Amino acid sequence: MSCALCPSMEPSVRVADFEAVERHRAVLQQRLCVVTELGDVSQQLVRTEPLGSSDVLKKIENVVKETLTYLAKGEAPVITFDKRSSWENIWFDGNVGLQMVSDSAMSKVKCECPRSIHRFALILKALAMIYKLVQSNTYATKRDLYYNESQLFGSQMILDGIINDISCMLKVPRRSLHVLSTSKGCIAGDLCYTEEDGNRVNCACNSTGKGVPDLSTRLMVRKLWDILHIPAFALVDADPHGIEIMCIYKYGSRSMSFDAHSLTVPIISWLGLLPSDIQRLNIPKEVLIPLTNNDMRKLSKLQKRPYVNCQPLWKKEMEIMETCKVKAEIQALESISSDYLTRVYLPNKLKFGGWI
């Protein structure tokens, strides 16, 4: 279990035990009201609504027309989009997360360049596949698209990157491209909702969230805050990988920074497992895992992220991990007792405000 955002509680936990959570919720709502009153859209937690199909089709048609215009002039076509591989093109806003700078450097995929001509062709092919989906009002997963042309794209990773590049190039939220992620996240709890297609979902029949969040999972967590204003807490392994998962939920990623307003949930707090909990709870040494060299490198990179400076308590926890040179999975709490996580750890954290 790598990450859970909506942990279930035992029936013995009383509503009064969540007074700290309600106070936290009130503070978050007050902060949201203040931000809204400022009137600066870039500072607000505002969902970017999907574009209409006709708008998406027109954007794709414009790319094709531009390519044909290059050819008509006897020039080699070039496809450009914001470069997201460098932190120099990313700026951090505490109320939104990681975003593209307005004048970011551009990535260019040139038809005449031997190193990029194949990628140029793959982008046009993916645009054609997306155009067909949007025009027919049908949807497909990235996995579906890949296996339809597996030999052409070569790997799922290549296609995934191209889909993100197209979304960035068109300035269109990826869900408007009618391309879905293969579901990785799960949701559980006393919640029922109706999807846009009329399908009713009962979350009580599902299991808890896990792993690096896909787009749909991030959108769902964001919707819970946007609509219900439910405080969100991250429960992750006390290791660099778990911290990075939490940061993606809270602040977003470089690759999807162009769509930060609809994906990030900056109000997320770190509930556990904290590196400081390892010593505080006297977790047995035999269930702790030494940090590998890769772990240390990832931790060092995390500490240099632009959002760490505004989270001094997070920074302190990372320093504790760096000093102790050990990590622990959530399951390590079972070494104290088999039900310690649900009977003691989570109820006390939520009751006494043990998040950061």
Side-chain angles (χ1 to χ4, degrees):
M1 181 178 180
S2 297
C3 176
L5 288 170
C6 299
S8 59
M9 294 288 96
E10 291 187 345
S12 60
V13 178
R14 301 166 300 175
V15 174
D17 291 337
F18 294 93
E19 290 181 357
V21 177
E22 284 303 310
R23 289 194 298 270
H24 179 59
R25 178 178 182 175
V27 170
L28 293 175
Q29 287 180 303
Q30 183 179 22
R31 185 186 307 168
L32 179 63
C33 291
V34 171
V35 169
T36 303
E37 289 173 0
L38 292 176
D40 184 353
V41 176
S42 67
Q43 300 291 315
Q44 297 178 29
L45 295 178
V46 178
R47 172 179 292 279
T48 303
E49 295 298 335
L51 293 180
S53 296
S54 60
D55 295 320
V56 177
L57 294 176
K58 185 176 296 184
K59 285 177 175 286
I60 296 175
E61 291 167 0
N62 288 339
V63 174
V64 176
K65 288 179 181 178
E66 186 175 353
T67 300
L68 294 176
T69 300
Y70 273 111
L71 294 174
K73 294 179 180 179
E75 301 175 1
V78 178
I79 290 177
T80 61
F81 46 84
D82 292 323
K83 186 176 182 180
R84 309 182 306 284
S85 59
S86 172
W87 283 103
E88 295 178 357
N89 296 321
I90 306 296
W91 72 284
F92 170 66
D93 183 321
N95 291 317
V96 179
L98 300 177
Q99 302 176 83
M100 296 297 302
V101 297
S102 57
D103 56 346
S104 66
M106 304 298 290
S107 291
K108 296 182 179 181
V109 183
K110 302 178 181 180
C111 182
E112 65 177 353
C113 179
R115 293 184 300 174
S116 62
I117 186 171
H118 182 60
R119 189 170 184 84
F120 184 93
L122 294 182
I123 292 175
L124 291 183
K125 177 60 178 178
L127 280 170
M129 299 167 79
I130 292 169
Y131 191 93
K132 185 176 180 180
L133 289 173
V134 178
Q135 189 178 47
S136 61
N137 195 29
T138 55
Y139 291 80
T141 65
K142 292 186 294 183
R143 192 173 181 82
D144 292 334
L145 296 182
Y146 169 68
Y147 279 107
N148 284 338
E149 297 286 352
S150 59
Q151 292 186 341
L152 178 64
F153 288 103
S155 74
Q156 183 73 61
M157 184 179 297
I158 291 176
L159 176 61
D160 292 354
I162 287 174
I163 296 298
N164 287 343
D165 288 343
I166 289 175
S167 179
C168 180
M169 174 179 64
L170 301 180
K171 307 298 183 188
V172 170
R174 205 183 73 193
R175 57 199 181 282
S176 295
L177 302 180
H178 286 225
V179 179
L180 308 174
S181 299
T182 302
S183 180
K184 287 169 57 180
C186 301
I187 185 171
D190 187 12
L191 174 69
C192 294
Y193 66 93
T194 303
E195 295 182 330
E196 294 178 357
D197 60 3
N199 182 41
R200 187 164 178 79
V201 178
N202 183 356
C203 299
C205 299
N206 294 304
S207 57
T208 58
K210 55 184 179 181
V212 178
D214 59 12
L215 189 67
S216 299
T217 307
R218 292 169 65 185
L219 286 169
M220 185 63 193
V221 177
R222 175 60 186 263
K223 180 177 289 188
L224 289 174
W225 168 248
D226 281 345
I227 298 177
L228 302 178
H229 288 175
I230 297 177
F233 302 101
L235 176 64
V236 298
D237 293 334
D239 64 15
H241 185 67
I243 296 174
E244 185 167 47
I245 289 173
M246 176 175 59
C247 289
I248 292 175
Y249 275 110
K250 186 176 179 72
Y251 296 122
S253 61
R254 286 186 308 183
S255 63
M256 297 298 291
S257 54
F258 59 90
D259 197 17
H261 283 273
S262 61
L263 292 176
T264 61
V265 190
I267 55 89
I268 286 177
S269 296
W270 188 0
L271 186 67
L273 183 64
L274 302 178
S276 59
D277 288 337
I278 296 175
Q279 294 179 336
R280 182 177 63 85
L281 300 175
N282 292 319
I283 296 178
K285 292 183 179 180
E286 55 267 24
V287 300
L288 302 180
I289 306 170
L291 290 179
T292 65
N293 291 333
N294 287 336
D295 289 332
M296 293 298 291
R297 282 192 290 269
K298 181 180 285 292
L299 182 59
S300 178
K301 290 180 180 179
L302 283 170
Q303 290 172 309
K304 297 175 183 177
R305 295 280 175 85
Y307 41 71
V308 171
N309 286 335
C310 74
Q311 291 286 353
L313 295 181
W314 286 28
K315 186 175 183 179
K316 183 177 180 181
E317 292 293 333
M318 293 185 204
E319 290 172 351
I320 292 174
M321 183 182 296
E322 184 179 40
T323 300
C324 296
K325 292 183 171 53
V326 294
K327 58 185 177 180
E329 297 178 344
I330 298 172
Q331 289 90 333
L333 294 175
E334 294 179 3
S335 63
I336 301 175
S337 68
S338 59
D339 60 350
Y340 187 82
L341 174 66
T342 57
R343 182 178 58 84
V344 180
Y345 185 83
L346 290 177
N348 284 338
K349 283 271 185 172
L350 295 173
K351 181 176 181 179
F352 300 108
W355 54 80
I356 58 176

